[in-house]
DNA sequence: CACCAGATCCTCT
DNA sequence: GAGGATCTGGTGG
């Protein structure tokens, strides 16, 4: 594994970008919680204005609070029986949708109760379970010292795929879903 | 306090 | 690819 080579993104400026730009930048990076982590292969951008699919635009309190807390803030929110996690950018946020397991793979499989690595974190709810991200972590900042959730820079070049967001009923069709092209760890093709 | 819509997941087919 | 499980926050009475 490549622990020693991983560079943590602890600079607030990295996250202080528009949701679309930040979303593209996050693809290929590593999201880590404790001793468990995975490469980000799928994300969606949610805009702060003119986006009826975004929680903040619909006036959901926790989402607005996270936005106001500024770049790098974690927005952990309930989704059906599970939770999803966003990282706040500038004037919007990015939903993490799928990971390729990198560190603590055994722990991830155990938590989710699966045997297939390609399906242990291929969805917003599942990756939170796999990493151990809970609502208690809502409002923390990934840049802060001692934050259990951290982001590391990606390595090497990769092609990014763009498409419409998944699982929403409003503002459908906008090209705000970004994927690591050709990854076998996506929630959908 | 009741109702409703939802940024999902899993199990079949 | 379709359908059901099942829970939280927002909204209105």
């Amino acid at each position: 594994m490549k622990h020693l080579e991983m560079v943590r993104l602890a600079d607030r400026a990295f996250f202080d970008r528009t949701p679309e730009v930040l979303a593209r930048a996050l693809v290929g990076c590593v999201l880590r919680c404790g001793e468990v982590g995975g490469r980000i292969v799928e994300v969606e951008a949610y805009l702060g204005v003119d986006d009826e699919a975004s929680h903040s635009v619909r006036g959901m309190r926790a989402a607005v609070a996270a936005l106001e807390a500024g770049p790098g803030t974690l927005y952990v929110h309930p989704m059906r029986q599970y939770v999803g996690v966003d990282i706040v950018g500038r004037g919007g946020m990015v939903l993490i949708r799928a990971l390729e397991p990198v560190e603590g793979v055994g722990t991830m499989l155990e938590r989710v109760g699966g045997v297939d690595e390609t399906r242990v974190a291929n969805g917003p709810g599942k990756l939170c379970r796999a990493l151990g991200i809970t609502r208690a972590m809502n409002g923390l900042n990934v840049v802060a010292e001692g934050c259990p959730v951290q982001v590391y820079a990606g390595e090497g070049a990769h092609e990014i795929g763009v498409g419409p967001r998944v699982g929403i009923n409003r503002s459908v069709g906008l090209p705000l879903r970004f994927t690591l092209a050709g990854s076998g760890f996506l929630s959908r093709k």
Side-chain angles (χ1 to χ4, degrees):
Chain A
M1 213 154 304
K2 320 168 185 174
H3 306 83
L4 300 178
E5 299 174 24
M6 293 205 304
V7 177
R8 184 184 171 199
L9 296 172
D11 184 353
R12 192 182 182 90
F14 177 86
F15 300 93
D16 189 12
R17 296 189 271 186
T18 65
E20 291 178 78
V21 174
L22 178 59
R24 285 179 172 276
L26 285 174
V27 172
C29 291
V30 171
L31 183 68
R32 187 183 184 197
C33 181
E35 298 303 312
V36 182
R39 189 181 194 196
I40 298 172
V41 297
E42 178 178 346
V43 299
E44 285 178 0
Y46 285 85
L47 314 182
V49 293
D50 296 331
D51 182 1
E52 289 298 322
S54 83
H55 288 180
S56 55
V57 168
R58 299 207 324 252
M60 293 175 71
R61 293 184 162 193
V64 174
L67 255 190
E68 290 178 345
T73 302
L74 289 172
Y75 171 47
V76 184
H77 56 95
M79 288 179 37
R80 288 291 197 279
Q81 289 119 265
Y82 309 102
V83 298
V85 62
D86 290 30
I87 299 178
V88 174
R90 182 199 301 161
M93 50 184 83
V94 178
L95 171 69
I96 312 298
R97 281 195 60 90
L99 300 178
E100 171 185 343
V102 171
E103 186 180 1
V105 181
T107 302
M108 295 175 77
L109 290 170
E110 190 176 326
R111 285 174 176 168
V112 175
V115 291
D116 184 350
E117 290 185 19
T118 69
R119 298 185 184 186
V120 77
N122 65 333
K126 291 167 84 175
L127 75 88
C128 284
R129 268 191 291 166
L131 290 193
I133 294 175
T134 68
R135 289 177 61 191
M137 298 171 189
N138 182 54
L140 300 182
N141 195 302
V142 297
V143 167
E145 191 69 27
C147 183
V149 181
Q150 304 182 338
V151 182
Y152 294 82
E155 297 173 359
H158 50 262
E159 187 180 340
I160 294 182
V162 183
R165 293 178 296 186
V166 173
I168 56 175
N169 297 310
R170 298 164 166 273
S171 298
V172 176
L174 299 178
L176 295 177
R177 174 171 178 255
F178 303 96
T179 60
L180 189 62
S183 172
F185 298 83
L186 305 178
S187 66
R188 308 188 185 186
K189 289 184 180 180

